[in-house]
């Protein structure tokens, strides 16, 4: 058996020391500030929310809190590498940031695995407790009643996709998990937020249906022509600080 195939061992000491966690935090904050124009949806406001909730869920489900918190900080760096990309696209940048922070290679690989495992498009009913904590936090951000009102247009601008493409993405990735009962893994989260998730998915179903109406389509074309939603700025470097 190769060393890297051995699952990380949880100990009393945090897998990510406080100094390393602080370094990752600082790196992510700098990138979010520097490229705020390119991250109207996945900027620091998103990262900080997911981080806070992920830590809460990790403490509740017995996950390794420092690993979950670090994973939450770096879970969306792929959007700095390529627009509308999967979490795996951020692996080189993510691993570089973790190495700069002094996170040991085995733990860094663990964090990267958690990020990919927790992604909505990838996750199934049986994922690690660390991935569950991160996934529940990220999923909650999607299900918040304020998200479609205040943030969906930012997602469109950030990723260069249409409203129909976003509706297809949300329903295609989230409906199965919702119907199969693992939209949220944490029982308390499921009890508190499942109604929001159901309402959100129903809204996006209605949005997709409305786009088949000719007059609605013309209305959206007219709004788009006004140029209210700006496009992101120039691409970010593949490595922080370069």
């Amino acid at each position: 058996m190769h060393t890297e195939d051995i699952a990380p061992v949880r100990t009393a000491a945090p897998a990510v020391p406080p100094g390393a966690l602080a370094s990752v935090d600082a790196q992510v904050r700098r990138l979010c500030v520097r490229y705020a124009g390119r991250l109207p949806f996945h900027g620091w406001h998103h990262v900080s929310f997911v981080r806070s909730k992920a830590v809460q869920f990790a403490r509740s489900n017995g996950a390794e809190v420092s690993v979950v918190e670090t994973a939450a900080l770096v879970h969306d760096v792929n959007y700095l590498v390529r627009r509308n990309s999967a979490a795996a696209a951020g692996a080189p940048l993510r691993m570089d940031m973790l190495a700069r922070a002094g996170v040991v290679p085995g733990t860094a690989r663990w964090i990267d695995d958690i990020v990919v495992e927790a992604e909505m498009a990838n996750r199934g009913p049986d994922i690690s407790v660390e991935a569950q904590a991160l996934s529940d936090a990220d999923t909650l951000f999607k299900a918040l009643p304020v998200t479609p009102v205040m943030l969906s247009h930012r997602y469109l601008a950030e990723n260069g996709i249409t409203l129909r493409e976003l509706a297809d993405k949300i329903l295609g990735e989230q409906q199965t998990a919702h119907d199969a009962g693992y939209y949220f893994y944490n029982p308390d989260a499921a009890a508190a937020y499942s109604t929001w998730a159901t309402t959100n998915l129903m809204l996006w179903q209605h949005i997709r249906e409305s786009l088949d109406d000719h007059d609605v389509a013309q209305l959206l074309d007219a709004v788009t022509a006004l140029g209210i939603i700006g496009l992101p700025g120039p691409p970010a470097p593949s490595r922080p600080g370069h």
Side-chain angles (χ1 to χ4, degrees), residues 147-235:
T147 296
V149 177
M150 299 295 295
L151 296 166
S152 290
H153 67 291
R154 295 185 172 207
Y155 191 97
L156 300 178
E158 179 182 308
N159 291 285
I161 63 174
T162 66
L163 186 60
R164 184 183 293 275
E165 288 171 329
L166 178 55
D168 287 343
K169 175 181 174 66
I170 289 171
L171 294 170
E173 292 181 355
Q174 299 182 32
Q175 193 70 57
T176 297
H178 176 271
D179 294 346
Y182 59 90
Y183 193 87
F184 292 109
Y185 298 95
N186 183 290
D188 292 336
Y193 308 124
S194 287
T195 301
W196 291 356
T198 300
T199 302
N200 185 61
L201 289 171
M202 186 178 296
L203 170 64
W204 283 102
Q205 178 64 47
H206 291 328
I207 288 172
R208 187 164 67 178
E209 292 168 356
S210 75
L211 296 176
D212 292 328
D213 185 289
H214 175 71
D215 293 317
V216 172
Q218 284 195 323
L219 170 65
L220 290 180
D221 287 343
V223 171
T224 302
L226 295 175
I228 295 174
I229 301 176
L231 295 176

Side-chain angles (χ1 to χ4, degrees), residues 5-218:
D5 293 330
I6 300 174
V9 177
R10 293 179 177 83
T11 63
V16 181
L21 181 59
S23 175
V24 175
D25 175 285
Q27 291 182 68
V28 175
R29 285 175 185 261
R30 283 197 298 269
L31 287 173
C32 285
V33 170
R34 183 175 181 182
Y35 298 106
R38 291 196 64 228
L39 299 171
F41 186 90
H42 289 109
W44 184 251
H45 55 283
H46 171 76
V47 174
S48 60
F49 178 92
V50 172
R51 174 194 196 174
S52 176
K53 291 297 184 183
V55 167
Q56 293 177 36
F57 294 138
R59 288 173 176 157
S60 174
N61 73 4
E64 213 299 337
V65 176
S66 71
V67 165
V68 171
E69 185 171 6
T70 307
L73 284 168
V74 298
H75 80 285
D76 276 336
V77 298
N78 55 290
Y79 291 103
L80 286 167
V81 176
R82 188 170 69 248
R83 294 173 76 186
N84 200 28
S85 61
L93 175 57
R94 187 158 43 243
M95 295 297 284
D96 181 75
M97 296 171 72
L98 296 173
R100 286 168 178 257
V103 178
V104 299
T107 302
R109 288 192 296 271
W110 185 15
I111 290 168
D112 189 58
D113 288 345
I114 289 166
V115 169
V116 174
E117 186 183 14
E119 188 173 31
M120 179 64 77
N122 298 329
R123 67 184 180 92
D126 301 309
I127 60 176
S128 68
V129 290
E130 285 77 20
Q132 287 179 20
L134 175 57
S135 177
D136 279 350
D138 201 25
T139 298
L140 176 56
F141 188 89
K142 296 175 174 66
L144 291 174
V146 300
T147 296
V149 177
M150 299 295 295
L151 296 166
S152 290
H153 67 291
R154 295 185 172 207
Y155 191 97
L156 300 178
E158 179 182 308
N159 291 285
I161 63 174
T162 66
L163 186 60
R164 184 183 293 275
E165 288 171 329
L166 178 55
D168 287 343
K169 175 181 174 66
I170 289 171
L171 294 170
E173 292 181 355
Q174 299 182 32
Q175 193 70 57
T176 297
H178 176 271
D179 294 346
Y182 59 90
Y183 193 87
F184 292 109
Y185 298 95
N186 183 290
D188 292 336
Y193 308 124
S194 287
T195 301
W196 291 356
T198 300
T199 302
N200 185 61
L201 289 171
M202 186 178 296
L203 170 64
W204 283 102
Q205 178 64 47
H206 291 328
I207 288 172
R208 187 164 67 178
E209 292 168 356
S210 75
L211 296 176
D212 292 328
D213 185 289
H214 175 71
D215 293 317
V216 172
Q218 284 195 323

